[in-house]
Amino acid sequence: MIVALSGGIGGAKLALGLSHLLDPARLLIVANTGDDFEHLGLSISPDIDTLLYTLAGLDNPDLGWGRRDESWACMETLEALGGETWFRLGDRDLALHLARTARLRAGESLSAVTDAMRRRLGVGPRILPASDDPVRTRLATDQGELAFQDYFVRRGCAPKVRAIAFDGAAASRPAAEVVAAIAAAEAVVICPSNPFISIDPILAVPGLRAAIAATPAPVVAVSPLIGGRAVKGPTAKMMAELGLPVTARAVAEHYADLLDVFVADPADAAALAEVGARIVAAPTLMRSLPDKLALARAVLTAAGVAVAAANPVAGTAR
Ligand code: GDP
């Protein structure tokens, strides 16, 4: 089993590549829930949803979030009624939140609901939240203490981040199976997600960091920074605000105690010589499906995981 830790967009791209190379039963994706929140009475899990939509081929390539073939009648009507519309929820996307919320209220765990949605959407590999208990990212900023979506969506990541906390993490338990899967894994992959707000909330669930540190499996992380820049999102800005160098090296050092292998873009690999992990240089920008497959293959090869040599790719749009 390959266990991949993932946030939303960057992580889901690599997870999609891995899903094309591995038998579905051989891949477990552990999703960040620090971005989750309750909004308009609905339970929303943005990173789980990005993974579900991306692996189901339903992601919205124009927006970079949400579902494709989306319509916005509910948001337009809500706006006319004076409701809150700063967090955009498309009509089809809303259906997933309605289904999830109803099942959670009926007493199902987030793991069980996520698994049910995964099956309904025809996604092969399993996706599990890091924890079924609420873990909520909160940021101390120059505009005060902010809940994650207030920072990320409502304020467009403009506030300067001073510190990051994960409310509920200390009391949370890892989702069933995750710790055992890590202990027995062939490899653990830390996807190219934001280390501070996508991967750290996963590692903050008691037992998960220790399980990754202890597993005999190789732990491979992929840099979300390329040439000192984030492909998307606030990773670079946040690192600067936290007083870190905005480099792949600083990402590798952030994970230092966990890593066996660090995969970075060839442009960055030279500056990584003394990091305490084996450095693998590979193109890490994933624009197309072949890019995702090539990086997933490089990651698996770096971890010593055998994959079939030729995998015909149907379509290259994503
Ligand atoms: P979010 O929860 O949707 O913000 O998702 P993630 O944390 O998974 O993704 C954001 C991170 O993914 C940013 O740090 C980006 O630099 C990184 N990212 C996005 N696309 C790519 C890519 O094609 N290659 C690499 N290496 N990183 C990427």
Side-chain angles (χ1 to χ4, degrees):
M1 174 94 76
I2 314 300
V3 179
L5 312 189
S6 176
I9 291 163
K13 289 188 197 174
L14 183 62
L16 180 67
L18 291 167
S19 76
H20 277 262
L21 297 178
L22 297 165
D23 184 89
R26 209 169 156 207
L27 178 60
L28 171 65
I29 302 161
V30 178
N32 170 40
T33 54
D35 302 9
D36 290 16
F37 74 135
E38 288 68 41
H39 183 59
L40 301 171
L42 300 172
S43 296
I44 301 177
S45 295
D47 287 356
I48 288 175
D49 297 347
T50 295
L51 284 161
L52 285 171
Y53 292 150
T54 302
L55 271 77
L58 294 172
D59 52 310
N60 188 320
D62 304 321
L63 288 177
W65 51 269
R67 222 184 124 134
R68 70 173 59 208
D69 303 323
E70 193 55 282
S71 59
W72 303 92
C74 181
M75 278 291 113
E76 285 159 20
T77 312
L78 188 62
E79 185 160 18
L81 293 171
E84 273 189 78
T85 55
W86 60 269
F87 195 87
R88 311 273 302 149
L89 295 163
D91 298 331
R92 291 179 192 278
D93 188 31
L94 270 167
L96 175 55
H97 309 311
L98 288 169
R100 173 189 295 123
T101 304
R103 294 178 84 131
L104 288 173
R105 286 210 185 131
E108 285 185 53
S109 67
L110 183 59
S111 296
V113 177
T114 304
D115 202 55
M117 298 299 121
R118 166 189 79 83
R119 287 167 193 267
R120 289 274 174 172
L121 291 170
V123 172
R126 278 182 319 147
I127 301 170
L128 287 177
S131 176
D132 284 325
D133 303 316
V135 174
R136 299 287 181 265
T137 299
R138 186 168 43 82
L139 303 102
T141 76
D142 63 345
Q143 297 181 21
E145 289 270 327
L146 301 175
F148 182 77
Q149 297 298 348
D150 189 3
Y151 161 78
F152 198 75
V153 175
R154 200 202 289 238
R155 300 179 198 234
C157 306
K160 291 196 173 65
V161 176
R162 309 267 186 248
I164 304 171
F166 309 114
D167 287 351
S172 70
R173 289 151 300 164
E177 294 176 64
V178 171
V179 169
I182 291 168
E186 290 173 78
V188 175
V189 178
I190 301 177
C191 288
S193 290
N194 185 315
F196 310 96
I197 52 173
S198 291
I199 302 299
D200 279 357
I202 300 176
L203 299 176
V205 175
L208 285 194
R209 174 178 275 277
I212 296 169
T215 184
V219 178
V220 184
V222 179
S223 178
L225 292 186
I226 301 176
R229 292 195 169 170
V231 179
K232 199 170 184 300
T235 308
K237 176 177 178 284
M238 194 176 272
M239 287 176 81
E241 290 163 0
L242 292 170
L244 294 165
V246 186
T247 59
R249 184 189 182 97
V251 175
E253 285 171 352
H254 183 72
Y255 295 134
D257 57 321
L258 303 176
L259 284 193
D260 295 296
V261 182
F262 189 67
V263 180
D265 217 62
D268 294 317
L272 285 157
E274 283 142 42
V275 167
R278 185 158 67 84
I279 304 303
V280 169
T284 54
L285 184 61
M286 295 173 280
R287 283 207 194 91
S288 65
L289 184 57
D291 292 345
K292 294 170 184 116
L293 285 167
L295 183 56
R297 188 177 288 281
V299 165
L300 293 172
T301 304
V305 174
V307 280
N311 277 282
V313 175
T316 55
R318 285 184 293 120

